[in-house]
Amino acid sequence: MQPEWEVWLDNHISPIIAKCLCDQTDFKVISSYKLGLNNLSDHEIYSKAKKSGNIILISKDSDLDEIISKSGSPPKLISLKIGNCDNKVLFEILKNKLALAIRFLNDYNKDIIELQ
């Protein structure tokens, strides 16, 4: 079943990861570069995601945590707290935890979840 959420990766995450996640999961995952968001501020990204509707952002940036905590969702946020790692490691983490994270955001009506 295709999820109702679209997942946007921020510009600190390689577009390769978006493609790999699309290929190997049921989620529509889009890179900020493909969306043309890579030169926008966090507030601008938040505004575009809010207008788009059911968006989940994945970011390592703590500014989005603060914006969503203050202004609410959508968008929802998967906040990565895993430190620096290569694309292969990050992809494996997201591939293994993305479905559970999205289910948690939905089932418990959370705006933000942290992945470690």
Side-chain angles (χ1 to χ4, degrees):
M1 179 173 95
Q2 183 68 16
E4 63 182 84
W5 292 91
E6 189 171 281
V7 179
W8 294 1
L9 300 183
D10 81 1
N11 59 351
H12 300 284
I13 301 172
S14 171
I16 294 167
I17 292 175
K19 181 182 179 340
C20 292
L21 287 170
C22 279
D23 292 347
Q24 296 189 27
T25 70
D26 292 331
F27 297 100
K28 183 175 183 181
V29 182
I30 307 170
S31 163
S32 64
Y33 294 92
K34 187 168 187 175
L35 293 164
L37 304 175
N38 53 306
N39 292 318
L40 300 181
S41 72
D42 291 333
H43 286 284
E44 291 170 317
I45 292 169
Y46 171 84
S47 294
K48 286 193 177 285
K50 187 149 194 87
K51 287 177 189 171
S52 293
N54 289 339
I55 303 298
I56 295 174
L57 301 171
I58 297 180
S59 179
K60 293 182 176 185
D61 190 346
S62 62
D63 292 344
L64 284 169
D65 292 40
E66 295 170 16
I67 294 168
I68 292 173
S69 292
K70 190 184 327 181
S71 301
S73 70
K76 294 184 180 254
L77 175 67
I78 297 173
S79 181
L80 300 176
K81 305 296 185 192
I82 58 174
N84 290 331
C85 60
D86 65 28
N87 286 339
K88 185 175 181 179
V89 171
L90 182 56
F91 167 71
E92 287 298 323
I93 291 168
L94 289 173
K95 183 179 84 168
N96 293 328
K97 295 184 178 184
L98 185 59
L100 183 61
I102 291 172
R103 189 167 52 236
F104 186 85
L105 287 168
N106 286 323
D107 290 353
Y108 295 99
N109 197 30
K110 297 290 184 182
D111 291 340
I112 301 170
I113 185 172
E114 290 184 359
L115 284 186
Q116 298 183 0

